[in-house]
Amino acid sequence: MSVPGKLKPSCSELDLDRPNLEDYLPSGASIQQEPDGNLRLRDLLDISPSLTEAAGAIIDDSFTRCFKSNPPEPWNWNVYLFPLWCFGVVIRYFILFPARVLVLTIGWIIFLSAFIPVHFLLKGHDKLRKNLERCLVELICSFFVASWTGVVKYHGPRPSMRPKQVFVANHTSMIDFIILEQMTAFAVIMQKHPGWVGLLQKTILESVGCIWFNRSEAKDREIVAKKLRDHVVGPDNNPLLIFPEGTCVNNHYTVMFKKGAFELGCSVCPVAIKYNKIFVDAFWNSRKQSFTMHLLQLMTSWAVVCDVWYLEPENIKPGETAIEFAERIRDIISVRAGLKKVPWDGYLKYSRPSPKHRERKQQSFAESMLRRLDEK
Amino acid sequence: MGNTSSMLTQYDIEEVQEHCNHTFSQQEIVSLYQRFCQLDRSGGGFISADEFLSVPEFAVNPLSQRLLKVVDGLNFKEFVKFLSAFSSRASLQQKIEFIFKIYDSDHNGKVTFNDMLDVLRDLTGQFISEQQREQVLTHVLEESGYTKDSSLTISDFMKTLGNSALKMEVEVPVD
């Protein structure tokens, strides 16, 4: 899977840009402790290593942990704080929330009344139209951030527009995109969403060059791969932003990066995003919540506090594979944002792991068994 | 603020403890309950095979299909009971009985040559030929004084595994 894997027709859909688990996992699973000496009946009957591994996975596993919502500590835990907390609830739901809805509505009115004329009347002046639309998208994103009182600290130099660079960030929620977008109009690669989000994607965000795809469709992937390559070389295009995890993770862990972003042959600028859990958990658990509910949750909390670091651009080193490069970038982002790395593919939320991984375990068991049989 | 653990009363916990012969502490049962609710995505009060397989670390286990026959559709009490063999408080006998049950697919108290061959097939997959597998199994059986036709009972398992250092413990994370 080293050469542009996206064009290989033989792979099944989801395998296309899926990294090999084997490339990431340390080869020594617990089955392969090498007890020497003769193979005896006891050694064959004793299936406890595999059983223990299975039970361990049932009790706790590093994959599910990545997608667990961790709500902030409630602080209404004693009689004295409780009235204060109730007071806070009243303020948040009955004063802050309506005010924020108002802000957002005003934002939309301003945005739409400017965007629609610009989009339809300036058909002939592409350059001007593009610039105006870019500013407007940044504006509406600022309104969104204001609607949850986003306190965002940006560290490092602001991204500039130039060809041959791609920004990659860790992914916690769709609001990552809004937070980054309010500073710079990125063109983002994202999953197609249903409902009103999908409508926005199709109408407005397409104007800044965003590219949408359906996670499970192989054809989409090829088209996206091609669009990506075309996009990065265009000097006038907005900078490209990719969330290589491909799914929202709870901001405590990072799952494997898809290698697509790392084989475009341009410099990769890592962006690390870390949310402060003090008021609200910014993780969007898309299984449990619609995006609307997620937004309402953010809008009824005190504030969304987060740090964004624009890190130094990195280039692929000679002799480095796309996967190694992706892992190096993942390291950089994880260290900066204080996230733990786990060796899982985020798409496993939607599909089962490939049998290859199990076969690997079977192979090592078989080999060790035969070796010990021969040893006498 | 309601969190899941508060839904278990002390009575419930004691009942579950009773059911698993006190191999888990109350704290551990609370943790296991949280985990159970997390795995039970459909919220039906039991965990289906599909929900077990959504844990990739479980799905890649060579014995996962075999284990699924035992764990499919467990409710919380049964779930704890199933895991109790992996507690550090479970006796060696309990652990060996657990292994025996995994082998004994038709629950008749006897493990035949074919039962053992099935498990070995799960563990080795396509990397050994069927013939080779049978040879290996026959060889080790004969070495221990059995034949291809003898079926092993739980006491045979005790004899074979009883004096080895069986490492079969999983720690329940408690916060």
Side-chain angles (χ1 to χ4, degrees), chain A residues 51-63:
Chain A
L51 290 178
T52 310
E53 241 179 33
I58 289 176
I59 289 179
D60 189 19
D61 75 292
S62 58
F63 182 72

PDB file of all heavy atoms in Angstrom, chain A residues 51-63:
ATOM      1  N   LEU A  51      -7.309 -15.872  26.096  1.00  0.00           N
ATOM      2  CA  LEU A  51      -8.515 -15.555  26.870  1.00  0.00           C
ATOM      3  C   LEU A  51      -8.319 -14.282  27.673  1.00  0.00           C
ATOM      4  O   LEU A  51      -9.196 -13.427  27.734  1.00  0.00           O
ATOM      5  CB  LEU A  51      -8.852 -16.713  27.814  1.00  0.00           C
ATOM      6  CG  LEU A  51      -9.351 -17.993  27.154  1.00  0.00           C
ATOM      7  CD1 LEU A  51      -9.611 -19.066  28.194  1.00  0.00           C
ATOM      8  CD2 LEU A  51     -10.631 -17.722  26.378  1.00  0.00           C
ATOM      9  N   THR A  52      -7.149 -14.163  28.279  1.00  0.00           N
ATOM     10  CA  THR A  52      -6.883 -12.978  29.100  1.00  0.00           C
ATOM     11  C   THR A  52      -6.922 -11.721  28.248  1.00  0.00           C
ATOM     12  O   THR A  52      -7.459 -10.690  28.659  1.00  0.00           O
ATOM     13  CB  THR A  52      -5.498 -13.109  29.764  1.00  0.00           C
ATOM     14  OG1 THR A  52      -5.426 -14.377  30.391  1.00  0.00           O
ATOM     15  CG2 THR A  52      -5.293 -12.029  30.790  1.00  0.00           C
ATOM     16  N   GLU A  53      -6.361 -11.856  27.056  1.00  0.00           N
ATOM     17  CA  GLU A  53      -6.376 -10.706  26.156  1.00  0.00           C
ATOM     18  C   GLU A  53      -7.801 -10.308  25.799  1.00  0.00           C
ATOM     19  O   GLU A  53      -8.158  -9.126  25.814  1.00  0.00           O
ATOM     20  CB  GLU A  53      -5.644 -11.071  24.871  1.00  0.00           C
ATOM     21  CG  GLU A  53      -4.444 -10.205  24.613  1.00  0.00           C
ATOM     22  CD  GLU A  53      -3.742 -10.629  23.340  1.00  0.00           C
ATOM     23  OE1 GLU A  53      -4.400 -11.091  22.384  1.00  0.00           O
ATOM     24  OE2 GLU A  53      -2.524 -10.508  23.324  1.00  0.00           O
ATOM     25  N   ALA A  54      -8.620 -11.323  25.521  1.00  0.00           N
ATOM     26  CA  ALA A  54     -10.012 -11.049  25.151  1.00  0.00           C
ATOM     27  C   ALA A  54     -10.757 -10.408  26.318  1.00  0.00           C
ATOM     28  O   ALA A  54     -11.466  -9.419  26.143  1.00  0.00           O
ATOM     29  CB  ALA A  54     -10.703 -12.342  24.723  1.00  0.00           C
ATOM     30  N   ALA A  55     -10.583 -10.966  27.512  1.00  0.00           N
ATOM     31  CA  ALA A  55     -11.284 -10.424  28.675  1.00  0.00           C
ATOM     32  C   ALA A  55     -10.791  -9.010  28.973  1.00  0.00           C
ATOM     33  O   ALA A  55     -11.581  -8.127  29.314  1.00  0.00           O
ATOM     34  CB  ALA A  55     -11.079 -11.324  29.883  1.00  0.00           C
ATOM     35  N   GLY A  56      -9.493  -8.804  28.799  1.00  0.00           N
ATOM     36  CA  GLY A  56      -8.944  -7.469  29.019  1.00  0.00           C
ATOM     37  C   GLY A  56      -9.575  -6.457  28.089  1.00  0.00           C
ATOM     38  O   GLY A  56      -9.885  -5.334  28.487  1.00  0.00           O
ATOM     39  N   ALA A  57      -9.800  -6.886  26.851  1.00  0.00           N
ATOM     40  CA  ALA A  57     -10.411  -5.974  25.875  1.00  0.00           C
ATOM     41  C   ALA A  57     -11.863  -5.709  26.228  1.00  0.00           C
ATOM     42  O   ALA A  57     -12.376  -4.620  25.998  1.00  0.00           O
ATOM     43  CB  ALA A  57     -10.316  -6.566  24.479  1.00  0.00           C
ATOM     44  N   ILE A  58     -12.520  -6.720  26.805  1.00  0.00           N
ATOM     45  CA  ILE A  58     -13.930  -6.513  27.179  1.00  0.00           C
ATOM     46  C   ILE A  58     -14.014  -5.536  28.355  1.00  0.00           C
ATOM     47  O   ILE A  58     -14.883  -4.672  28.403  1.00  0.00           O
ATOM     48  CB  ILE A  58     -14.590  -7.865  27.531  1.00  0.00           C
ATOM     49  CG1 ILE A  58     -14.774  -8.701  26.273  1.00  0.00           C
ATOM     50  CG2 ILE A  58     -15.933  -7.641  28.216  1.00  0.00           C
ATOM     51  CD1 ILE A  58     -15.316 -10.077  26.517  1.00  0.00           C
ATOM     52  N   ILE A  59     -13.094  -5.663  29.295  1.00  0.00           N
ATOM     53  CA  ILE A  59     -13.150  -4.807  30.485  1.00  0.00           C
ATOM     54  C   ILE A  59     -12.724  -3.371  30.173  1.00  0.00           C
ATOM     55  O   ILE A  59     -13.310  -2.414  30.659  1.00  0.00           O
ATOM     56  CB  ILE A  59     -12.283  -5.416  31.611  1.00  0.00           C
ATOM     57  CG1 ILE A  59     -12.974  -6.671  32.145  1.00  0.00           C
ATOM     58  CG2 ILE A  59     -12.056  -4.422  32.730  1.00  0.00           C
ATOM     59  CD1 ILE A  59     -12.236  -7.379  33.223  1.00  0.00           C
ATOM     60  N   ASP A  60     -11.714  -3.239  29.359  1.00  0.00           N
ATOM     61  CA  ASP A  60     -11.236  -1.894  29.056  1.00  0.00           C
ATOM     62  C   ASP A  60     -10.407  -1.973  27.794  1.00  0.00           C
ATOM     63  O   ASP A  60      -9.594  -2.866  27.651  1.00  0.00           O
ATOM     64  CB  ASP A  60     -10.368  -1.390  30.213  1.00  0.00           C
ATOM     65  CG  ASP A  60     -10.039   0.082  30.053  1.00  0.00           C
ATOM     66  OD1 ASP A  60     -10.749   0.759  29.296  1.00  0.00           O
ATOM     67  OD2 ASP A  60      -9.079   0.542  30.685  1.00  0.00           O
ATOM     68  N   ASP A  61     -10.623  -1.059  26.856  1.00  0.00           N
ATOM     69  CA  ASP A  61      -9.797  -1.109  25.665  1.00  0.00           C
ATOM     70  C   ASP A  61      -9.486   0.296  25.205  1.00  0.00           C
ATOM     71  O   ASP A  61     -10.253   1.232  25.427  1.00  0.00           O
ATOM     72  CB  ASP A  61     -10.485  -1.902  24.550  1.00  0.00           C
ATOM     73  CG  ASP A  61     -11.610  -1.113  23.920  1.00  0.00           C
ATOM     74  OD1 ASP A  61     -12.595  -0.903  24.620  1.00  0.00           O
ATOM     75  OD2 ASP A  61     -11.465  -0.676  22.779  1.00  0.00           O
ATOM     76  N   SER A  62      -8.350   0.419  24.584  1.00  0.00           N
ATOM     77  CA  SER A  62      -7.854   1.750  24.254  1.00  0.00           C
ATOM     78  C   SER A  62      -8.656   2.393  23.139  1.00  0.00           C
ATOM     79  O   SER A  62      -8.627   3.595  22.970  1.00  0.00           O
ATOM     80  CB  SER A  62      -6.387   1.668  23.859  1.00  0.00           C
ATOM     81  OG  SER A  62      -6.239   0.803  22.770  1.00  0.00           O
ATOM     82  N   PHE A  63      -9.392   1.589  22.388  1.00  0.00           N
ATOM     83  CA  PHE A  63     -10.140   2.175  21.272  1.00  0.00           C
ATOM     84  C   PHE A  63     -11.386   2.913  21.760  1.00  0.00           C
ATOM     85  O   PHE A  63     -11.584   4.085  21.454  1.00  0.00           O
ATOM     86  CB  PHE A  63     -10.529   1.088  20.273  1.00  0.00           C
ATOM     87  CG  PHE A  63     -11.260   1.624  19.074  1.00  0.00           C
ATOM     88  CD1 PHE A  63     -10.578   2.356  18.120  1.00  0.00           C
ATOM     89  CD2 PHE A  63     -12.608   1.424  18.918  1.00  0.00           C
ATOM     90  CE1 PHE A  63     -11.229   2.862  17.017  1.00  0.00           C
ATOM     91  CE2 PHE A  63     -13.279   1.923  17.817  1.00  0.00           C
ATOM     92  CZ  PHE A  63     -12.582   2.644  16.866  1.00  0.00           C
TER      93      PHE A  63
END
